[in-house]
């Protein structure tokens, strides 16, 4: 009986500690990830927002706490503004400028073998490889 009570207490304490841990997954940016070569959840989310023409939501995501969402929101909003589909306010332009200088890290995957975390500033100021991959994904 004594061992049974001790066992129950240990199980309770173990389960409490396991379930009380906060698990945070970093939102990964990727256009051709995993075996299927598909976009990550954040890329699919933004593709759906574009498809549904939810431009207000895309602009609101400039203020997201998730760096991958910041990246996609900046690039898409700038592209839509360039095409005169949306107009960016002074506040939104200021936020975009802030994000161009952000040191937040964006997890990036590419296929099954590539994973890296890149500062948002480096990603936004990078060469055309990132943007051409995004253009291909969103245009298809």
């Amino acid at each position: 009986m004594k061992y049974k009570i001790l066992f129950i207490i240990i199980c309770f304490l173990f389960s409490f500690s396991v379930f009380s841990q906060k698990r945070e997954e970093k939102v990964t940016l990727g256009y051709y990830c995993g075996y299927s070569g598909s976009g990550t959840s954040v890329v699919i989310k933004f593709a759906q927002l574009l498809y549904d023409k939810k431009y207000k939501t895309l602009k609101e995501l400039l203020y997201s706490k998730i760096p991958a969402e910041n990246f996609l929101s900046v690039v898409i909003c700038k592209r839509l503004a360039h095409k005169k589909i949306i107009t960016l306010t002074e506040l939104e332009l200021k936020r975009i400028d802030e994000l161009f200088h952000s040191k937040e890290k964006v997890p990036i995957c590419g296929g099954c073998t590539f994973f890296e975390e890149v500062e948002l500033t480096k990603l936004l100021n990078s060469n055309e490889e990132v943007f051409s991959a995004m253009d291909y994904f969103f245009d298809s």
Side-chain angles (χ1 to χ4, degrees):
M1 180 73 168
K2 187 162 93 174
Y3 292 113
K4 193 175 190 179
I5 293 173
L6 184 61
F7 178 74
I8 291 171
I9 291 172
I10 290 172
C11 287
F12 174 76
L13 291 175
F14 178 73
S15 65
F16 180 73
S17 67
V18 168
F19 290 113
S20 67
Q21 293 178 7
K22 186 177 179 183
R23 183 175 175 216
E24 290 185 26
E25 289 186 30
K26 293 185 177 182
V27 177
T28 303
L29 178 67
Y31 306 101
Y32 310 106
C33 295
Y35 293 109
S36 65
S38 62
T40 59
S41 61
V42 71
V43 170
I44 293 168
K45 172 183 175 178
F46 274 77
Q48 190 64 48
L49 289 171
L50 274 172
Y51 179 78
D52 294 340
K53 297 183 179 180
K54 294 188 176 181
Y55 303 132
K56 183 179 178 187
T57 303
L58 287 167
K59 290 167 64 170
E60 290 169 353
L61 287 166
L62 289 169
Y63 302 94
S64 171
K65 298 206 182 292
I66 300 169
E69 290 184 346
N70 293 145
F71 170 76
L72 289 172
S73 186
V74 166
V75 174
I76 292 169
C77 285
K78 285 183 62 101
R79 185 173 175 191
L80 293 174
H82 178 74
K83 291 184 172 193
K84 299 188 187 319
I85 296 171
I86 64 169
T87 303
L88 296 168
T89 66
E90 287 298 318
L91 191 59
E92 291 162 345
L93 290 169
K94 183 179 178 194
R95 176 62 179 160
I96 288 171
D97 187 54
E98 290 170 1
L99 291 171
F100 264 89
H101 296 91
S102 174
K103 300 291 184 190
E104 289 289 324
K105 297 214 179 213
V106 180
I108 300 175
C109 76
C112 303
T113 59
F114 177 77
F115 181 84
E116 185 177 351
E117 288 192 358
V118 180
E119 288 181 357
L120 192 52
T121 184
K122 289 182 182 176
L123 195 57
L124 286 169
N125 292 297
S126 68
N127 58 22
E128 289 299 311
E129 291 176 17
V130 173
F131 296 101
S132 63
M134 192 181 88
D135 285 341
Y136 178 79
F137 183 82
F138 286 111
D139 288 342
S140 56

